[in-house]
Amino acid sequence: MLSGISNKIHLLLLVIVLPVTMITSYVGLHNSALKAVEHTALQSARVMAMTMNAARIHYNKNVAKKLSSTPDIYIGADYHDKPQAIPNPATFTIEVAEMVSKQQPNIRVRMYSDHPFPHREEEGGPQTDFEVTALESFRRQKANGQQPEAVFKSFHVGNNLEFDYIEPLVMQAACIECHNQLLSSPKRDWKVGDIRGGLSIRHVMVENNAFEDLENIAKLSIAFIAIFSTIMLIWNFRQSRKQLQSNTQNFLKIANSDPLTGLLNRRGFEQAIQHSWREHRLNKQYMSIIYCDLDDFKTLNDQHGHATGDMQLINAAGIISTTLRQGIDFAARIGGDEFVIVLSNTNQSGAIKVAKRLLESGKTVDSEHTLKWSLGIACTKVASGISATTLISRADKAMYQAKSVATGGYRVYRGDAPLEANP
């Protein structure tokens, strides 16, 4: 009889403890997964913010500032309907954010201010309490002599879990003249260091229905709840990570690509060459660099306009892309009309063959303007005694020697006396 009572007590304890233990484990695992997703979302948002800021700074420094002294070029927010006009840096960044938000429905990127220009009054101001609170936090930190820091928070909106990340936009010296002198500016007493707004990045990450599923399934079986909920949690977590990784990769691809040609930009090229260099050094393989520079490109731009010049660059990039081995070689546009090609596991004779194909392909471009370029080749067996920068510099020197002798040819770097070699 005592044994029967003991068994009943054990069974009762099992019935009570097992469900509690499973549910507690599930909730703990669920919360841990959400924290991991939140951390990944924060890192992704930081990468996106860094990309947007880098694009704005690059555009301001290398496009807007260089063209501001050109009398025929208009720079402003209302550039769409004006000939020979480009957006100012703020408008450029805003439009890039809008483009990203349209292409990625689960991401919203926007710049906002509590002093938006008249043409952006509806969409340019704070749209949530969190955006208002963020600006107040930034200004309070600045008033206390602190460096304003980004804010991050998660929200439950319906069945969705959303993450908001907001960075402060600080007034720079380059922005003062525009904001304080334009008649349409809503605030004209800005000072350097003022908080003029925020860069807001929102992720819609995962469906928040796990606990509702748990309640429904609990009516059938505690054990089934634990198993099913755990499986669903792991699936949701993996899907969220995949989604975040995909979003991060898309942003990194945008940040590392030249928007005109689709090739790598300088930032992307530097990352790719360092990775490739390490692999070649580990495997003791040859690497060849071809440095390309379009001939008479400035004359083409001056005589026929930048649209024609852009088409010439696109044609050159197309030739390079079709000539290279996909997934093995890579190329980048690192200057106005300069391209660098990396030929993996390729010796000098192989690089010369590629250079000849590039020169011949340039002659067959279906265009009213001939595509001619000068090429410089440098090759080495990757070892500890030389760097990727040195090899690129050698190819650059060979290219200049090719151009100094006759356009539309190539040279191979051979120490202080590059070998003359024309197709």
Side-chain angles (χ1 to χ4, degrees), residues 135-188:
L135 292 183
E136 294 174 351
S137 173
F138 299 152
R139 292 188 175 119
R140 184 167 55 252
Q141 289 175 330
K142 183 179 182 299
N144 293 334
Q146 300 172 333
Q147 182 71 24
E149 295 182 351
V151 291
F152 181 76
K153 190 174 182 180
S154 61
F155 296 87
H156 293 281
V157 180
N159 288 330
N160 291 329
L161 180 60
E162 301 183 358
F163 298 96
D164 271 9
Y165 174 90
I166 302 178
E167 275 194 3
L169 294 176
V170 181
M171 183 62 72
Q172 304 293 327
C175 308
I176 290 291
E177 180 178 352
C178 176
H179 282 268
N180 284 352
Q181 293 186 11
L182 284 179
L183 296 179
S184 60
S185 177
K187 177 176 168 64
R188 301 175 66 184

Side-chain angles (χ1 to χ4, degrees), residues 308-342:
T308 301
D310 287 349
M311 185 54 64
Q312 191 81 311
L313 293 172
I314 292 172
N315 289 336
I319 291 173
I320 292 173
S321 297
T322 55
T323 302
L324 301 187
R325 297 167 295 178
Q326 296 300 314
I328 300 176
D329 307 323
F330 58 92
R333 179 190 175 199
I334 61 170
D337 61 337
E338 297 180 346
F339 300 87
V340 174
I341 299 172
V342 177

Side-chain angles (χ1 to χ4, degrees), residues 274-290:
Q274 293 303 324
H275 176 74
S276 181
W277 191 265
R278 287 193 295 270
E279 288 190 346
H280 280 67
R281 183 169 56 191
L282 180 64
N283 298 320
K284 298 179 181 180
Q285 295 174 322
Y286 280 94
M287 176 186 286
S288 292
I289 301 288
I290 301 180

